[in-house]
Amino acid sequence: MMKTSLSNSFLKTFFVIVLSSFFGLNSMAQSESDKDSVVIARLTYLHHLKDKIGNVWQGFNGKYADLPLIYYGNEFCYVMNPQIKFLTNFESSLVFKDEGLTVYKTKKIDDTPFHMHMTYEFDDEKQFDFHSPYMRCSSLETTSKTIPDVTTMDVWATMVLHEYFHAFQFSQPEYADYYEKHCAFFDSNILQSLYLNHKWYRNSINKENELLLKALNTSDINLARRHLRSFLKIRSNRRKKAYRKLHLDITKAEQTYEMTEGSARYIEAKLYESIPVYQADSSWLYTAGKKYHYATGYNIIRVLDKFGCHYQKELFNHIPLAEEELNDIVSVFPYN
């Protein structure tokens, strides 16, 4: 099972070093205002964290994953690694350049009060994010006003990198095509509505998640396989019932949302390992609720880790892979 964590002291030390470099060592940053320097330091910090946490997900580190990110300040937007189309659409000035990282500054590109999400335009070719994922985040200060629990750089960074991982997912054409085909007209709110409004559906989800957790928490591999076999059977019956009673074929959309949000939560959880104060209660990571696909997806991925499955390289090219791996796991010992 893969194990990686970043020490909290390392993160704080790195951020101090980055701030120091912009206020004292980097000639380009010296010519910018203090506000610009702090923003650049934060973006450098995020970029470094992305590469570090990329060690726990194949392909998330390195140049391929140096994707665009728009940081919304009070008066300006700062854009990390923008595409040419963005620079053509918005008058921007280069404020920082380093290996794997460029930062441009432009006037606010919209008036939305809070951003913490990824955008990817499927239809309008004129949009700068047409077939090009852009992570958008508000500053730590704005985020703290909107979400009072977010008071530190570390916690803010986990939110940003969760969403930045979505940009990584959409940067892979096979995934973007699959998402458009199976989720464009099947919003995740449909799954949420099913969970809230149908007791049989909610009870099944809760039982499925409980079985995933039992498989994760036992050291008896054969017992874990039995829990997973029960999980797959109950899940199959729920999906058949949804089709029979509600005329909804939820399988592909559910698999997509689970792997989309479950893998992003997996990245977030790896970062949270480095923040001890938040380890006291991490049950929100794996407990099912109305947005159950976050937890079930996260737990499925952890099960794949437990059984040593090699899924990361191909998962976003073939979303059903996760459940196919689970079927392979249980088929090894099918009768006990």
Side-chain angles (χ1 to χ4, degrees), residues 92 142 158 207 238 249 328 333:
S92 308
T142 299
T158 64
K207 181 62 177 178
R238 171 177 56 82
D249 185 356
D328 288 344
F333 200 70

Side-chain angles (χ1 to χ4, degrees), residues 20 27 58 75 86 102 113 116 123-124 138 152 167 173 191 195 198-199 226 240 248 269 295 303:
S20 298
S27 59
Q58 188 173 359
E75 301 176 35
F86 182 95
T102 58
M116 192 60 71
D123 300 317
D124 189 351
S138 292
T152 68
L191 299 180
Y195 184 90
H198 299 278
K199 185 176 180 180
R226 287 197 288 272
K240 290 175 182 177
L248 284 173
V303 167

Side-chain angles (χ1 to χ4, degrees), residues 121-298:
E121 175 60 43
F122 287 100
D123 300 317
D124 189 351
E125 294 185 17
K126 295 180 180 179
Q127 297 300 315
F128 68 86
D129 55 354
F130 176 70
H131 288 184
S132 180
Y134 273 75
M135 163 54 194
R136 307 188 191 206
C137 66
S138 292
S139 67
L140 170 60
E141 292 76 17
T142 299
T143 302
S144 296
K145 291 177 183 177
T146 307
I147 309 173
D149 288 343
V150 181
T151 58
T152 68
M153 267 292 293
D154 289 337
V155 179
W156 176 79
T158 64
M159 297 179 65
V160 174
L161 285 176
H162 175 111
E163 299 301 331
Y164 196 62
F165 194 73
H166 289 325
F168 169 69
Q169 295 163 348
F170 276 86
S171 70
Q172 300 172 67
E174 296 88 349
Y175 170 83
D177 290 345
Y178 195 87
Y179 187 97
E180 182 178 18
K181 182 177 180 180
H182 298 293
C183 296
F185 300 103
F186 196 114
D187 193 272
S188 62
N189 288 333
I190 296 174
L191 299 180
Q192 179 176 317
S193 178
L194 292 173
Y195 184 90
L196 291 174
N197 296 323
H198 299 278
K199 185 176 180 180
W200 61 268
Y201 191 98
R202 180 167 62 254
N203 288 344
S204 180
I205 289 294
N206 292 342
K207 181 62 177 178
E208 290 166 42
N209 198 55
E210 178 185 333
L211 288 165
L212 288 171
L213 292 175
K214 285 182 176 180
L216 284 165
N217 293 328
T218 181
S219 58
D220 185 331
I221 294 301
N222 289 330
L223 178 58
R225 287 195 176 102
R226 287 197 288 272
H227 290 318
L228 294 176
R229 190 174 300 110
S230 296
F231 162 81
L232 290 168
K233 181 177 180 180
I234 293 172
R235 165 159 287 207
S236 176
N237 289 339
R238 171 177 56 82
R239 288 172 174 171
K240 290 175 182 177
K241 188 172 183 178
Y243 187 78
R244 186 175 67 252
K245 290 179 66 70
L246 306 174
H247 309 293
L248 284 173
D249 185 356
I250 67 172
T251 299
K252 288 184 172 60
E254 182 175 65
Q255 289 173 334
T256 306
Y257 284 122
E258 280 186 327
M259 292 301 98
T260 299
E261 296 298 350
S263 58
R265 177 162 289 188
Y266 180 90
I267 294 297
E268 192 174 5
K270 291 299 183 181
L271 284 169
Y272 266 97
E273 290 177 5
S274 68
I275 309 174
V277 68
Y278 283 88
Q279 291 183 15
D281 182 13
S282 59
S283 59
W284 62 274
L285 288 168
Y286 52 78
T287 302
K290 61 183 180 180
K291 295 183 179 180
Y292 69 86
H293 50 282
Y294 285 74
T296 52
Y298 172 61

